[in-house]
């Protein structure tokens, strides 16, 4: 698609948080383990246009082996979330693990800017803590992208966005990024966007490159290109 079909909004940025594995570091009560766990991201920002809070959709780590209460090996995840935020916003993030009936078992707290320091995917590992120490670790890839969207589908409400989680089914940029991370897993999403006229083709090229170099390394892979 021609570049003219897209608009970049310098007042917004898009955080990409792709969780790749989940590992319990401590035993949990069997009653909780048998019921399974749910995780979600929670974002908050203070100041500016006032406090804002939002939560991602939940995901369930496949921890069937935890029914004994013993830590299983790391389990693979294929879960990614996208956080749209005002460029000036300093976002505080929490990643929580809880039971299905709402008992919180552990939490990671940190700044979005620390997890996603560049527009290339950077490997991170975060630890979910409780009063007894480390409960679990989550390996993830994080990046922060310039906000772009097809010009014809610019949303008026983005003018007042401070923080908001997006779903690939509802957002063209999130859909393309998901397709980069999980090729072929969202074919119906892009088909729907094309049918609705929101997008006619991929912008072309890799949207993200995994950052395996120091950020000052001149030989590092190219950054995002529309």
């Amino acid at each position: 698609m021609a570049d003219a079909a897209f608009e970049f909004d310098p007042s917004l940025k898009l955080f990409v948080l792709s969780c790749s594995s989940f590992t319990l570091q401590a035993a949990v009560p069997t009653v909780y383990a048998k019921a399974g766990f749910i995780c979600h991201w929670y974002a908050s920002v203070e100041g500016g246009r006032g406090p804002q809070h939002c939560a991602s959709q939940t995901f369930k780590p496949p921890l069937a082996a935890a029914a004994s209460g013993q830590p299983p090996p790391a389990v693979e995840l294929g879960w990614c979330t996208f956080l749209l935020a005002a460029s000036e916003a300093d976002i505080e993030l929490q990643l929580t693990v809880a039971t299905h009936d709402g008992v919180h078992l552990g939490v990671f707290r940190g700044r979005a800017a620390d997890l996603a320091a560049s527009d290339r995917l950077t490997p991170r590992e975060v630890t979910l803590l409780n009063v007894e120490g480390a409960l679990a670790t989550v390996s993830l890839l994080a990046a922060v992208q310039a906000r772009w969207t097809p010009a014809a589908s610019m949303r008026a409400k983005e003018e007042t966005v401070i923080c908001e989680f997006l779903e690939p089914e509802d957002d063209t940029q999130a859909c393309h990024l998901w397709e980069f991370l999980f090729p072929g897993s969202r074919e119906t999403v892009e088909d729907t966007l094309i049918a609705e006229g929101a997008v006619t083709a991929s912008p072309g090229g890799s949207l993200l490159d995994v950052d395996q170099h120091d950020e000052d390394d001149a030989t590092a892979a190219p950054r995002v290109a529309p």
Side-chain angles (χ1 to χ4, degrees), residues 45-56:
V45 59
E46 302 292 336
R49 287 168 277 179
Q52 292 275 317
H53 312 278
C54 60
S56 72

Side-chain angles (χ1 to χ4, degrees), residues 176-202:
H176 279 298
L177 293 171
W178 186 289
E179 281 292 324
F180 173 84
L181 292 164
F182 310 107
S185 64
R186 294 252 173 174
E187 291 174 352
T188 56
V189 174
E190 188 156 8
D191 288 344
T192 299
L193 291 170
I194 292 172
E196 293 176 350
V199 61
T200 58
S202 169

Side-chain angles (χ1 to χ4, degrees), residues 21-24 63 72-76:
S21 69
F22 182 101
T23 307
L24 278 175
L63 295 174
V75 295
E76 297 301 312

